[in-house]
Structure formats: C-alpha cells, structure tokens
Amino acid sequence: MASAAESLLASALTVGHGITLRLDTDARTLVVYDSCNPRADSSKDKGVLRIPFYNILWVELLEDGIAISYATPRGKGVVRPCSATYSIEKNQAADAAEWVDKLLDCAYGRSQLRKRIKVLVNPAGGQGKAQRYFRRDIDPILRAAHSQVDVQKTTHRGHATELAQNLDVDAYDVVACCSGDGLPHEVFNGLAKRKDATRALRKIAVVQLPCGSGNAMCWNLCGTGSPSLAAVSVVKGVRTVLDLVSITQGDRRTISFLSQAFGVVADVDLGTDHLRWMGEARFLYGFLTRLLRKRVYPCHIAVGVAVGDKAGIREHYRREAGREASPLGDRDDVDDEREGRATSEDERQGLPPLNYGTAADELPGGSSLTPHDNLGSFYAGNMAYMSSDGNFFPAALPADGCLDMLNIAGDIDRRVALNLMFAVQNNTYFNLEHVSYRKVLWYRIIPGHRAISNGGDSGGDNAGPRSTQKRPGYISIDGESYPYEPFQAEVHRGLGTVLCKTGRVFESPRFV
C-alpha cells in the first residue's frame, strides 16, 4: 500500500515555469502553485489558485501541454468558463496522461463525461429572455465541458411534446429545457406517448435550466435559480431515477413530475394569471384575498396511504435518504423493490399498467370517498420545492414510490393561516397541528361545484361581493391548468430519469 507521501507525490505534477498542479482530494480541490499567478485566491496564499473539483469542466492532454477549463465566479450566483494551459516536456507525457485521468475522475466521479444534450429553448420563457440566458449563461458552460449540444427553439404550445415523442433516444443522453416548469412537463408527456415509453423515460434524463417564471424543478435538482450555476449542475449531474405520476381524467392519461393542486394553491397560481404584471407579488396578493374570505373548496377524496403519521414519515425519510446511491442513482434498487420488475421486453412497451384503475373506474377495494366540505388546500408533491422559497414537501424523495400529500382546512383562523404561510418559508410548518401530511400511493379527488367564501362570495380577484367566477375553480398539474373535473393520480416508482447532485435526495434541507 502506498504511503501518504507517495500518494501526495502521485497527485502532483510539475509543469513549465515552475508551476505545480496538485490534487487535494481531502478538500476536493485542484491547487495550482505559481508565485507569478495574478489570480491568487487570497492574500495569505499569494501565487496559489484553488479550483474546486466540482468547477472543473474539462481537462485535456495536448501535444505539449495540459488544457484545463473550469467555471469561475463572476459575481453573486454567476459563473463563467475560464481556461488555462500548462506546458509539459515530452518525457512527461505518460505521467501527464495519468494525472489528467485522475483529475477527470476527481472532477466527475459518477457523472457521465461529454453528455449528449438536446437543448430546447422556449423563446417566450422568462418574459422573452430565455434565448439570452442560454447564449450568455448556459451554452458557454456546456461547450467548455465538451458536451455535445443540439439546440432547438420551441415554436408553439405542445411543441416540446411533439419533439420528445419523435426523438431519437439513442442519439441523446439528456433533454435540457431552457424554460420554466412547463417544458419539462411537455417533454415527459412526449416521451410517455411513445410506443417504447418505458425505455425512453429511463434512457433520457430530463432537466430544466431556469429560464422561466417557475423554476421549481431546477431548485430541487440543482439547488439554484441561476442559469450558469444550473448549467454546471447539469454537466456534473448524476443520473437519478424519479417517480412519475399518472393522472387520469375521463379517457385521458397524462404524466406529472412535480405536483398536483386543488384549492387555494391552484386558485392562486392559475386564478391570478391576469396579474402577472405584479411579478411574484401576485401570489401573496392572491393568497391574502382568499385568506380574508376564508375560501373553502368542497370535494370528495379517496386515498391509498403508505405512511399516515408524521413520526412514521420521518423514519421513512431517514431510511430512504440514507441508502447508498448506485452509479445509476438507485435504478437497480428501485427495480428490485418494485413489484413486477420490468424486463427488456417490458421496456420496449408503453407506459406501465395502472394498478389502481382510472378516475372513471370503481374505487380500489376497501377504499371509499370522504367528503371534505371545508378544504382550503389540497396539494400533492413529487418534489420538495414548489418555488425558490416554498419547500412545501420537506419529506419528498426522488424515488420512494410515494407522493407527499398535504391538506389544510380553509376555515381556520386567519392568524393561523398567516402563520402557516410564513412557516412554509421558514421550513417549520410540517409539525403544525393544522397541517395534514401523508405519503400516498394513489388518490382520487372529485371537486365540488365551486369554491365558497364566507358570506357566500365566490368572486374572483376583480369581482365585487355579488359577482361569480367565470369558472367553478382550478386544477393545477405541474403548474398547468387541467379541466375542472374528477381525476385520479397513481405513482410509478422510478419510471423517470433526471440529473441531480447526489443521486438520491433533492437539494432541500435534510428532513430529520
């Protein structure tokens, strides 16, 4: 076994002009010792440049040197690609080649090198700024990492669905959506429409690069709303399995990757669309107006509960989050535990069968619909964050086979409701007595005729006290408006694929 001194020597390479490149595996950093280097990172270490392994985008052995590309900070939440070339002697070629391989291994670990990425850019995303974000912040990072990039703009609603449905899935590893959460929703559903849907959903990792008004997917998988930092996260991302959810309404079946909402959350999201000029303030305005009216949303709900108590949910999270991730992000573990493990023949088929039927079928055996006359919020989440500061589902995991469901009454005291809103932002609301939180396998919801406010007013944001809404209410699936009618949701464990940093948990505070 090599001694510590031998290991240190093997991790270092002396190159031209007295420069030494050393791999500090403890600090996970490339250290460049150069007394003439003007880019020293601190006055105490003049002539020393430290580059985190995570920021190393590419390293290449040239005929007479080593070229290193890395992401360097350029202000708060912004990185830009930078490069440096170090000369070597011909007799160093073998040692240099070995050192380059070590640095790439340290920089990428279990992540795939040179990903083949189909980039979809929604020109309308981010109030028309998505193309600029891509050109300025994203594309330079992807190119510096030697990713193979194929860019296409979407031209109309549903275009990403069409592209994903007809995609050559063997030609790409990743579909990256420069958009909000709407484009990933379309891509997942396009892959789900294919004859080989199961194989396509497992083969293609779907990611979001934050260029829209709603970037929840990116916050969960990359931990940032910065386009350039998200690009680095995609380059370094580990293939990770993700639960997907079948939504059935009438004879329609669609796929959800993020959330389903009925009540206040859907009403605020979709019912204030005409107030987009207010920016994020429209959500606060919408919440407060409904809070003052004590609006409730009558409905009937049937649910298949996996874990029904909060202590059990904590234990479930500790057990699932503590599992060691495999190089494919626990794909093998998920398959082993899923009833009816898919074979290669199954993977060539469409979507997996529904174990609990559709919204039009009889309820699964032993279950029944329960009336909820005073429901305020019905929210089911497949990820933790629903916005940059909205960790609504702190116990959510990428592939535990469950949706996290919360229900809150709409007629609670207004002060309690306000405290709930602030508790979400402070990650303290899970244990509050007014919050019902469960992990579920499936559910069915039948919305009532219309929302009811105290005094009987069901008016919209621009309505007077005697006005009525133009529609009875809203149902939101992944932030998209769906018909106001009964629907059923069923979880498919590990059906989808994404890229994330760890391969097993979201980029949210650890839930203990």
Side-chain angles (χ1 to χ4, degrees):
M1 182 179 293
S3 66
E6 290 172 333
S7 298
L8 182 63
L9 185 61
S11 69
L13 182 71
T14 299
V15 294
H17 305 291
I19 299 172
T20 300
L21 310 176
R22 185 170 70 83
L23 307 181
D24 186 343
T25 54
D26 291 332
R28 299 197 56 76
T29 300
L30 167 64
V31 185
V32 181
Y33 294 95
D34 179 4
S35 59
C36 299
N37 187 353
R39 293 173 296 187
D41 61 358
S42 75
S43 58
K44 294 181 180 179
D45 295 319
K46 185 177 180 180
V48 179
L49 175 67
R50 290 181 170 83
I51 308 171
F53 288 156
Y54 182 79
N55 284 26
I56 300 291
L57 301 174
W58 191 249
V59 55
E60 186 173 7
L61 180 64
L62 307 176
E63 184 176 347
D64 57 354
I66 295 173
I68 301 174
S69 297
Y70 58 96
T72 188
R74 287 288 187 266
K76 185 177 181 181
V78 176
V79 293
R80 294 285 183 263
C82 187
S83 63
T85 302
Y86 303 97
S87 61
I88 59 171
E89 301 294 334
K90 288 185 178 180
N91 61 3
Q92 289 183 288
D95 290 340
E98 182 179 354
W99 187 88
V100 164
D101 288 341
K102 286 181 180 179
L103 178 54
L104 279 175
D105 186 57
C106 290
Y108 278 84
R110 295 183 293 120
S111 180
Q112 177 187 353
L113 296 168
R114 303 187 68 176
K115 296 178 176 70
R116 300 171 299 168
I117 305 175
K118 177 73 173 182
V119 176
L120 302 181
V121 181
N122 176 10
Q127 297 180 334
K129 298 178 181 178
Q131 293 184 80
R132 186 176 75 181
Y133 293 153
F134 174 72
R135 289 194 300 265
R136 183 191 66 191
D137 301 318
I138 297 169
D139 191 49
I141 296 291
L142 301 183
R143 304 285 181 182
H146 285 220
S147 301
Q148 300 176 43
V149 182
D150 177 17
V151 185
Q152 187 165 354
K153 298 177 187 177
T154 57
T155 59
H156 55 273
R157 187 178 183 87
H159 192 194
T161 299
E162 299 165 9
L163 293 171
Q165 187 174 1
N166 297 295
L167 186 72
D168 180 359
V169 297
D170 292 317
Y172 301 97
D173 306 303
V174 180
V175 172
C177 303
C178 295
S179 65
D181 294 311
L183 229 56
H185 177 80
E186 289 190 14
V187 170
F188 277 121
N189 277 281
L191 296 174
K193 289 178 179 291
R194 300 167 59 101
K195 292 182 179 179
D196 62 345
T198 297
R199 175 177 180 267
L201 288 164
R202 293 182 174 187
K203 172 69 174 62
I204 297 294
V206 181
V207 300
Q208 182 211 16
L209 292 160
C211 297
S213 57
N215 302 305
M217 186 182 195
C218 192
W219 280 103
N220 282 288
L221 301 179
C222 304
T224 182
S226 159
S228 59
L229 290 176
V232 175
S233 182
V234 167
V235 165
K236 294 303 185 73
V238 178
R239 287 178 63 85
T240 304
V241 293
L242 179 73
D243 294 339
L244 294 178
V245 183
S246 277
I247 304 295
T248 58
Q249 278 189 313
D251 60 354
R252 302 178 301 277
R253 181 182 181 183
T254 54
I255 292 295
S256 170
F257 77 94
L258 180 62
S259 65
Q260 308 92 50
F262 167 74
V264 167
V265 175
D267 210 356
V268 168
D269 185 14
L270 301 174
T272 62
D273 202 56
H274 61 291
L275 300 175
R276 282 186 176 270
W277 58 270
M278 296 178 65
E280 290 192 354
R282 73 183 174 100
F283 297 109
L284 178 60
Y285 171 79
F287 176 81
L288 292 175
T289 56
R290 287 152 180 80
L291 172 66
L292 292 174
R293 295 170 184 155
K294 287 192 174 182
R295 184 168 291 182
V296 296
Y297 303 79
C299 63
H300 286 73
I301 302 174
V303 59
V305 178
V307 186
D309 64 286
K310 293 180 179 180
I313 289 173
R314 290 186 181 279
E315 176 56 34
H316 172 92
Y317 182 92
R318 283 193 291 266
R319 182 176 65 252
E320 293 290 326
R323 294 165 60 191
E324 189 67 28
S326 73
L328 291 180
D330 286 340
R331 172 78 77 197
D332 295 335
D333 293 340
V334 168
D335 279 346
D336 287 339
E337 295 178 7
R338 181 168 46 219
E339 184 177 354
R341 177 175 177 175
T343 64
S344 58
E345 179 64 27
D346 293 329
E347 289 191 343
R348 289 194 287 270
Q349 303 304 312
L351 290 174
L354 296 169
N355 294 323
Y356 302 102
T358 73
D361 295 330
E362 293 292 328
L363 286 168
S367 58
S368 60
L369 287 164
T370 301
H372 292 260
D373 295 330
N374 66 335
L375 182 75
S377 293
F378 173 92
Y379 212 2
N382 196 44
M383 294 184 173
Y385 283 108
M386 297 295 112
S387 62
S388 60
D389 60 353
N391 185 14
F392 278 90
F393 303 102
L397 290 161
D400 66 348
C402 299
L403 273 169
D404 287 31
M405 176 190 289
L406 67 85
N407 301 144
I408 301 173
D411 57 358
I412 58 177
D413 183 84
R414 293 184 178 95
R415 288 173 297 179
V416 174
L418 278 174
N419 288 335
L420 283 174
M421 183 181 71
F422 295 124
V424 170
Q425 297 175 346
N426 297 329
N427 295 315
T428 59
Y429 85 107
F430 176 82
N431 281 324
L432 299 180
E433 61 177 322
H434 297 285
V435 176
S436 169
Y437 195 116
R438 294 173 286 180
K439 281 190 172 283
V440 306
L441 304 173
W442 67 272
Y443 68 84
R444 182 181 300 180
I445 183 167
I446 301 177
H449 177 62
R450 66 174 185 173
I452 301 171
S453 303
N454 70 330
D457 170 28
S458 60
D461 291 298
N462 294 330
R466 295 185 181 180
S467 302
T468 58
Q469 287 177 283
K470 294 181 180 180
R471 57 184 293 167
Y474 296 91
I475 289 173
S476 171
I477 308 295
D478 296 348
E480 302 295 311
S481 180
Y482 270 55
Y484 190 79
E485 60 186 53
F487 71 92
Q488 182 159 310
E490 176 180 327
V491 184
H492 303 291
R493 187 172 189 182
L495 177 60
T497 307
V498 293
L499 300 176
C500 79
K501 291 184 177 181
T502 66
R504 65 178 183 275
V505 295
F506 295 121
E507 292 298 305
S508 56
R510 291 301 294 266
F511 179 73
V512 292

